[in-house]
């Protein structure tokens, strides 16, 4: 199947700083990528849908000014957590949809990025 | 997306078939049943999906009842590496349909 990578896999930052997480589709072009957040022992929660060349669509309750999403190319989307606080510590996962898979339409997930804010 | 109901946890002996049930009684006619799994601290992995016919691939089989109100994911010969949280998701199959994850079933394979 298609491969999606994330960088970094783990990051520790101090409260008040910003952190950028990259999501790349390695062997396909993704017009749409999705960003999820997962707290310990909980399920994945969709944060936003990232569309190449246009503004991201955020889910209700997700602050777009705090979680900046940029999808500047067909293989790269970035999530920047601005002014991070300890409550932002979480597992951030991206996924990408390969439009060429036709009716399959499944999403391919990255390995996740564990963010710890101290 | 239609809601799904899954048991919170299940155990299965290694080498046996693992049968994971999912109820989706409010599924609409154009919605598919998708299964993903998430091994600890990794991103979810696609397993299989179907509309109304039973499906089989190299990972699993999907049995969907005739009324489409429930389905069962079958891992024919479970191994320790199949220990994971399994998510049953119902969604349409066009455009940029979102995946809404429920709480899933935590499957533990017992040696």
């Amino acid at each position: 199947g298609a491969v999606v990578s994330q960088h970094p896999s783990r990051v520790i930052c101090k409260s008040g700083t910003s952190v950028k997480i990259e999501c790349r589709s390695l062997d396909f072009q993704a017009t749409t990528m999705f960003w999820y957040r997962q707290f310990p022992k909980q399920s994945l929660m969709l944060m936003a849908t990232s569309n190449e060349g246009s503004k991201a669509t955020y889910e209700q309750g997700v602050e777009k000014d705090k979680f900046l999403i940029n999808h500047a190319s067909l293989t790269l989307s970035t999530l920047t957590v601005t002014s991070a606080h300890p409550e932002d510590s979480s597992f951030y996962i991206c996924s990408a949809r390969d439009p060429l898979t036709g009716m399959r339409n499944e999403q391919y997930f990255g390995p996740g990025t564990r963010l710890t804010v101290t | 997306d239609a809601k799904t109901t899954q048991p919170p946890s299940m155990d299965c002996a290694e080498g046996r078939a693992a049968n994971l049930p999912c109820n989706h009684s409010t599924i609409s006619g154009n919605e598919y049943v998708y299964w993903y799994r998430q091994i600890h601290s990794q991103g979810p992995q696609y397993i299989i999906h179907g509309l109304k016919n039973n499906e089989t691939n190299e990972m699993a089989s999907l049995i969907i009842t005739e009324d489409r109100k429930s389905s069962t994911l079958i891992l024919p010969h479970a191994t320790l590496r199949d220990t994971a949280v399994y998510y049953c998701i119902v969604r349409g199959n066009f455009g940029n349909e979102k995946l809404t994850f429920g709480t899933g079933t935590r499957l533990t394979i017992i040696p």
Side-chain angles (χ1 to χ4, degrees), chain B residues 48-56 61-66:
Chain B
I48 198 168
H49 78 289
L51 182 62
K52 54 182 180 181
N53 297 321
N54 297 338
E55 302 287 344
T56 295
S61 294
L62 174 60
I63 308 298
I64 303 174
T65 57
E66 192 168 342

Side-chain angles (χ1 to χ4, degrees), chain B residues 13-64:
Chain B
E14 186 179 16
R16 298 277 189 158
N19 297 278
L20 292 90
C22 179
N23 287 323
H24 31 78
S25 59
T26 60
I27 191 171
S28 62
N30 62 353
E31 288 181 317
Y32 286 67
V33 180
Y34 280 76
W35 283 84
Y36 284 79
R37 72 179 182 184
Q38 185 179 26
I39 296 171
H40 183 62
S41 293
Q42 296 183 25
Q45 176 189 22
Y46 166 83
I47 301 174
I48 198 168
H49 78 289
L51 182 62
K52 54 182 180 181
N53 297 321
N54 297 338
E55 302 287 344
T56 295
N57 63 20
E58 63 278 5
M59 290 183 67
S61 294
L62 174 60
I63 308 298
I64 303 174

Side-chain angles (χ1 to χ4, degrees), chain A residues 31-32 34 36 38 41-46 49 51 59 91 93 97 102-107 109-112 114, chain B residues 32 34 36 38 40-46 49 87 91-104 106:
Chain A
T31 53
T32 302
F34 302 86
Y36 296 81
Q38 186 176 33
K41 299 189 184 300
Q42 295 187 21
S43 188
L44 285 80
M45 296 297 295
L46 180 66
T49 301
N51 298 296
E59 295 299 300
F91 193 48
I93 307 169
R97 176 181 163 269
M103 288 300 292
R104 293 187 67 189
N105 202 32
E106 70 264 23
Q107 293 178 25
F109 286 82
R114 188 162 301 283
Chain B
Y32 286 67
Y34 280 76
Y36 284 79
Q38 185 179 26
H40 183 62
S41 293
Q42 296 183 25
Q45 176 189 22
Y46 166 83
H49 78 289
Y87 296 99
R91 52 166 273 193
N93 203 41
F94 31 72
N96 296 320
E97 294 277 344
K98 298 184 291 188
L99 287 174
T100 301
F101 286 80
T103 52
R106 181 172 298 279

Side-chain angles (χ1 to χ4, degrees), chain B residues 6 20 36-37 47 73 75 82 84-88 104-105 107:
Chain B
Q6 299 177 251
L20 292 90
Y36 284 79
R37 72 179 182 184
I47 301 174
L73 178 73
L75 308 178
D82 292 321
V85 178
Y86 288 75
Y87 296 99
C88 168
T105 295
L107 175 67

Side-chain angles (χ1 to χ4, degrees), chain A residues 2-62:
Chain A
V3 178
V4 175
S5 71
Q6 283 184 240
H7 177 81
S9 57
R10 291 177 180 270
V11 58
I12 300 173
C13 72
K14 292 187 176 181
S15 187
T17 61
S18 296
V19 175
K20 180 185 286 188
I21 302 170
E22 294 184 347
C23 177
R24 293 181 185 273
S25 56
L26 297 186
D27 51 1
F28 66 100
Q29 294 184 328
T31 53
T32 302
M33 292 183 173
F34 302 86
W35 286 96
Y36 296 81
R37 179 168 54 182
Q38 186 176 33
F39 292 109
K41 299 189 184 300
Q42 295 187 21
S43 188
L44 285 80
M45 296 297 295
L46 180 66
M47 298 175 67
T49 301
S50 168
N51 298 296
E52 188 268 337
S54 64
K55 291 183 178 180
T57 303
Y58 290 81
E59 295 299 300
Q60 191 172 8
V62 178

